[in-house]
Amino acid sequence: VKCSACEARLPAYLDNDCSPREAEAVAQHLASCAACRAQTERLRAVESQLARMRGIEPHADFTLAVMARVAAMPAPAKQGVRPWLLLVYVPAAWAALFALFATRVLSWQGVTTGSSVFAGKLGVAGQALYHVGQHFNVASMVTSGAALEIALLALAIAVARIYIGHLPGWASGARA
Ligand SMILES: [Zn+2]
C-alpha cells in the first residue's frame, strides 16, 4: 500500500469501518511508515477533541432580542417621486429613437406598420378592459381615461408622421 492509499483509508480504519483485508493492509503500512503513523495520531487527536465539543444553544430570548434590535433600527428613507426624471427620460428616449432611425437600425415605415398591428391588439385589450370596468360600475371612468390615452397617442403619431415626412431620406430610414 502506498502512502496516498493509506491516507485515504485512514478515517475508515480509525472508525473500524473497512474490510478486514483493508485494515490489515493499512496496519502493515503504518508499521513501516512513520509519516502515516504521525498522520494517524493527528486524526485521533482531532476526533477526540470533536467528541468533547458541546452543541451551542442560543439564549431562550435570542429571537426576541434580535427582533427588538431590528425594530430599533432607523427605517430606510422613502424614495419620493421625482418628476424631473421624466423630463430627462423623455428627451433621452426620443434622442435614442432618432439615432436608431438615423443609423437605419429602425425604419419608420416598419415602426408605423408595427404600431397599427399594436393598435389592433390594443383595441381588443381595451374592449376586455371596458367589460371589466362595466362590471364594477367604473366604465365611464375607464372610458374617459382610455379616450384620453388614445387621443394623445393619435396626436403623437400624427406629429411624428408629419415631422418624419420632412426629414431627409437618410434620416427617415427610407430605402432608395
Ligand atoms: Zn505512509
Side-chain angles (χ1 to χ4, degrees):
V1 189
K2 284 180 186 173
C3 284
S4 56
C6 177
E7 229 174 276
R9 287 173 194 164
L10 265 184
Y13 174 75
L14 289 175
D15 291 343
N16 290 322
D17 200 20
C18 54
S19 71
R21 227 175 49 147
E22 276 182 326
E24 176 64 27
V26 171
Q28 269 183 14
H29 180 83
L30 286 178
S32 64
C33 178
C36 284
R37 275 205 301 276
Q39 177 69 8
T40 307
E41 286 316 306
R42 282 196 290 274
L43 272 178
R44 279 212 175 102
V46 168
E47 285 200 0
S48 70
Q49 291 207 342
L50 281 175
R52 270 185 278 139
M53 280 181 77
R54 292 183 298 122
I56 299 168
E57 280 293 321
H59 256 258
D61 59 350
F62 177 76
T63 307
L64 277 177
V66 170
M67 293 319 284
R69 286 281 189 92
V70 170
M73 283 165 81
K78 274 187 187 171
Q79 287 209 329
V81 182
R82 276 169 280 183
W84 59 267
L85 266 182
L86 207 64
L87 293 178
V88 175
Y89 166 75
V90 171
W94 276 104
L97 198 64
F98 186 79
L100 287 176
F101 283 135
T103 53
R104 299 195 183 185
V105 174
L106 285 178
S107 77
W108 75 270
Q109 289 97 332
V111 170
T112 46
T113 311
S115 66
S116 60
V117 173
F118 176 72
K121 287 178 185 169
L122 203 69
V124 175
Q127 206 175 19
L129 270 179
Y130 178 78
H131 284 298
V132 173
Q134 219 169 22
H135 183 75
F136 291 105
N137 291 320
V138 288
S140 60
M141 200 177 79
V142 171
T143 310
S144 52
L148 187 69
E149 286 287 325
I150 289 166
L152 282 174
L153 197 67
L155 186 71
I157 288 174
V159 168
R161 267 177 188 258
I162 294 163
Y163 178 64
I164 291 167
H166 286 292
L167 287 174
W170 60 266
S172 67
R175 281 170 178 77

